[in-house]
């Protein structure tokens, strides 16, 4: 009987500890939700101000069409924590560019092998190879910078835009980070609920 009572007391203490942690997480959840609402209001208000400042503010088709799915974020699950990360480009434009680049790289490799053999006989061919490598390096840098620019939705509106557009984007980005934290807290709370349920069941069986 004494052993059963001691086990029951220990289980109750575990439940109390878990409940304390649960309500701490709940307070944290409410704080994040309030911050998300604040950031959302700020984002919308900034975009409204920008629209009122520039009546011609609109997406440039040359920047946007075909890139609708490029700048995406995903949530990575790291066990105890969740992390926001950028997803690779998935638009038709990017996939078409990647397929073309793959075909070109195969042809370039074959050509380079042929030139390498020729360079063994003629040193002047090596200079040609070096020039081509330098040209390719510059082109890859240019493509990377262009992709980085277009992956930022703000660039879809052009370059001469009201500063409120960027401020609105920053507010929504911060809100997205907080949403990930909210999902993380909710998952932790759900696990605590499950643990408390198991402990209560154990306590009922003991009594």
């Amino acid at each position: 009987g004494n052993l059963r009572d001691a086990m029951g007391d220990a289980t109750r203490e575990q439940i109390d500890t878990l409940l304390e942690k649960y309500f701490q997480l709940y307070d944290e959840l409410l704080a994040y939700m309030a911050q998300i609402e604040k950031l959302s209001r700020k984002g919308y208000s900034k975009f409204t101000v920008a629209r009122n400042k520039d009546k011609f503010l609109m997406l440039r088709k040359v920047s946007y069409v075909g890139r609708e799915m490029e700048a995406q974020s995903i949530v990575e699950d790291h066990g105890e924590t969740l992390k926001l990360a950028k997803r690779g480009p998935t638009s038709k434009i990017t996939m078409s560019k990647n397929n073309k680049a793959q075909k070109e790289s195969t042809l370039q490799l074959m050509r380079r092998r042929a030139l390498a053999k020729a360079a063994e006989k003629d040193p002047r061919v090596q200079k040609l190879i070096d020039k081509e490598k330098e040209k390719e390096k510059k082109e890859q840098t240019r493509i990377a910078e262009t992709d980085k620019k277009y992956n930022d939705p703000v660039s879809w509106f052009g370059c001469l835009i009201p500063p409120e557009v960027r401020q609105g984007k920053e507010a929504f980005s911060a809100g997205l980070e907080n949403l990930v934290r909210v999902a993380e807290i909710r998952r932790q709370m759900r696990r605590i609920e499950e643990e408390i349920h198991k402990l209560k069941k154990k306590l009922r069986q003991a009594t």
Side-chain angles (χ1 to χ4, degrees):
N2 291 334
L3 180 60
R4 182 177 293 179
D5 290 341
M7 289 177 63
D9 290 341
T11 303
R12 290 187 186 91
E13 284 182 12
Q14 283 182 281
I15 292 172
D16 289 342
T17 302
L18 287 170
L19 281 171
E20 185 179 352
K21 185 177 180 181
Y22 183 87
F23 287 115
Q24 286 175 352
L25 286 170
Y26 183 68
D27 289 339
E28 191 178 348
L29 177 69
L30 292 179
Y32 272 105
M33 292 295 288
Q35 187 68 14
I36 289 168
E37 183 180 0
K38 182 180 177 182
L39 288 166
S40 296
R41 288 179 183 275
K42 180 181 178 181
Y44 281 118
S45 66
K46 290 294 182 183
F47 283 135
T48 302
V49 171
R51 191 71 180 88
N52 290 334
K53 276 187 175 182
D54 186 352
K55 298 295 183 183
F56 298 99
L57 185 66
M58 63 182 66
L59 292 170
R60 298 186 308 170
K61 288 186 177 181
V62 66
S63 303
Y64 177 71
V65 174
R67 299 179 185 273
E68 296 88 338
M69 300 300 291
E70 280 206 1
Q72 287 190 351
S73 296
I74 58 171
V75 178
E76 294 179 342
D77 191 341
H78 294 271
E80 291 297 320
T81 60
L82 300 174
K83 184 180 178 182
L84 193 67
K86 284 289 181 185
R87 183 181 180 182
T90 56
S91 73
K92 291 179 181 178
I93 284 179
T94 305
M95 288 189 286
S96 176
K97 280 164 61 180
N98 289 344
N99 291 336
K100 184 180 177 182
Q102 190 173 5
K103 289 177 182 177
E104 285 179 352
S105 62
T106 303
L107 291 171
Q108 286 172 350
L109 181 62
M110 292 171 65
R111 183 171 181 275
R112 193 168 291 164
R113 284 176 179 171
L115 286 172
K117 286 184 178 180
E120 292 175 2
K121 298 178 180 178
D122 188 350
R124 290 175 297 179
V125 177
Q126 186 59 47
K127 290 182 180 181
L128 178 62
I129 294 173
D130 293 338
K131 282 183 181 179
E132 285 195 359
K133 284 183 179 179
E134 186 64 29
K135 186 178 178 181
E136 282 178 23
K137 188 177 179 181
K138 287 180 180 179
E139 181 64 12
Q140 287 171 359
T141 302
R142 186 191 66 79
I143 292 171
E145 288 175 353
T146 302
D147 286 344
K148 185 179 178 181
K149 175 186 173 183
Y150 284 132
N151 280 340
D152 182 358
V154 171
S155 69
W156 298 348
F157 293 92
C159 54
L160 299 175
I161 56 173
E164 286 80 8
V165 173
R166 196 170 297 280
Q167 291 167 6
K169 176 221 169 184
E170 288 170 358
F172 281 119
S173 295
L176 188 59
E177 292 280 356
N178 286 347
L179 274 173
V180 174
R181 180 58 184 149
V182 164
E184 192 177 301
I185 292 171
R186 285 186 182 276
R187 186 168 68 171
Q188 290 174 0
M189 291 174 69
R190 196 178 304 115
R191 286 175 179 172
I192 291 174
E193 287 170 4
E194 292 171 357
E195 189 63 27
I196 289 174
H197 179 73
K198 289 178 184 177
L199 289 170
K200 284 184 174 180
K201 187 178 180 181
K202 180 181 176 182
L203 193 61
R204 285 196 298 269
Q205 291 173 347
T207 54

